[in-house]
Amino acid sequence: DAGITQSPRYKITETGRQVTLMCHQTWSHSYMFWYRQDLGHGLRLIYYSAAADITDKGEVPDGYVVSRSKTENFPLTLESATRSQTSVYFCASSRGQHQETQYFGPGTRLLVL
Amino acid sequence: AQRVTQPEKLLSVFKGAPVELKCNYSYSGSPELFWYVQYSRQRLQLLLRHISRESIKGFTADLNKGETSFHLKKPFAQEEDSAMYYCAPPMAGANNLFFGTGTRLTVIP
């Protein structure tokens, strides 16, 4: 499980600030994903990446930016944080497409004041 | 539109009782369905996948294409089964999964 890590684990920020959540995996998995977990909505996909320099939008991409310059890293940036982005954010990786098991990080709890 | 429905947000059963967590999906192809579980203070992890047809921790899930369901079942619930369970079919035409809203199972001792 230590193969995929997230940092920070907890973050408090203010409305309008830029925040970057980090995700790092050591398996050389091709696919990486960012989800947010909210009560009543379950897990919703924000962005995903099929390989380095290839990213695509998920279900709720607005207000978020991602990059994947290296296979092992997939940072998620909130360009101007809003209260509605208060959530728990999970990063995941998998070897291949949706038929493959996804491995999840421990999550980052973000509070936007 | 692609949808997955887990109708019960909360489900409580007594220890030793059978448990069934419902999942219905809308997908026109032959889906590869998953159940993921999140125990307290642990990461979300795969519980089982349809294609492997295996039983994990006593849980099984049968794909019913006619009813478009993939319910998770266990004949005798244990306290350690208390967790959040997510059903996840693939997004149609996409390379990722579509998670349901989840069911929080509580097994009462």
Side-chain angles (χ1 to χ4, degrees):
Chain A
D1 284 348
I4 182 163
T5 57
Q6 292 182 235
S7 62
R9 294 293 311 279
Y10 304 91
K11 178 73 177 178
I12 300 175
T13 191
E14 295 178 332
T15 301
R17 290 190 180 260
Q18 183 179 80
V19 177
T20 295
L21 309 183
M22 304 301 293
C23 179
H24 176 77
Q25 53 106 353
T26 60
W27 294 309
S28 298
H29 282 170
S30 295
Y31 280 79
M32 295 188 74
F33 309 84
W34 273 107
Y35 296 90
R36 58 178 292 173
Q37 184 184 43
D38 304 288
L39 282 175
H41 292 282
L43 281 171
R44 291 181 292 175
L45 182 67
I46 304 170
Y47 269 96
Y48 70 99
S49 168
D53 297 321
I54 301 175
T55 62
D56 208 346
K57 296 179 180 179
E59 188 184 358
V60 289
D62 294 342
Y64 302 95
V65 174
V66 293
S67 62
R68 186 122 180 252
S69 58
K70 292 183 178 181
T71 299
E72 61 266 30
N73 296 322
F74 191 38
L76 175 74
T77 298
L78 289 66
E79 294 186 298
S80 179
T82 64
R83 290 184 180 177
S84 65
Q85 292 178 309
T86 292
S87 186
V88 181
Y89 291 85
F90 288 98
C91 178
S93 71
S94 69
R95 290 186 305 175
Q97 299 179 3
H98 54 70
Q99 299 91 340
E100 297 288 337
T101 301
Q102 292 191 19
Y103 297 88
F104 283 80
T108 295
R109 286 188 178 273
L110 176 67
L111 174 62
V112 183
L113 299 174
Chain B
Q2 173 76 11
R3 293 195 66 178
V4 55
T5 304
Q6 293 182 250
E8 305 125 335
K9 286 185 168 43
L10 301 171
L11 181 63
S12 296
V13 299
F14 285 101
K15 178 182 176 180
V19 60
E20 180 181 56
L21 292 86
K22 293 183 170 57
C23 172
N24 290 90
Y25 64 92
S26 62
Y27 189 72
S28 59
S30 296
E32 167 63 84
L33 287 150
F34 298 80
W35 275 96
Y36 280 79
V37 61
Q38 187 176 25
Y39 300 104
S40 179
R41 299 181 184 180
Q42 293 188 29
R43 304 178 185 216
L44 199 69
Q45 58 188 284
L46 178 69
L47 178 62
L48 59 81
R49 51 191 295 180
H50 158 248
I51 196 170
S52 61
R53 298 189 182 278
E54 55 190 341
S55 173
I56 303 294
K57 299 185 178 183
F59 284 97
T60 58
D62 291 322
L63 176 62
N64 186 321
K65 291 185 180 180
E67 296 180 358
T68 59
S69 68
F70 190 53
H71 303 328
L72 184 68
K73 301 177 183 179
K74 185 171 183 177
F76 307 103
Q78 302 299 315
E79 290 180 64
E80 56 264 29
D81 296 328
S82 295
M84 190 75 172
Y85 292 81
Y86 290 97
C87 178
M91 278 189 177
N95 295 321
N96 44 60
L97 299 175
F98 188 86
F99 285 83
T101 52
T103 297
R104 181 167 295 281
L105 173 66
T106 300
V107 180
I108 304 166

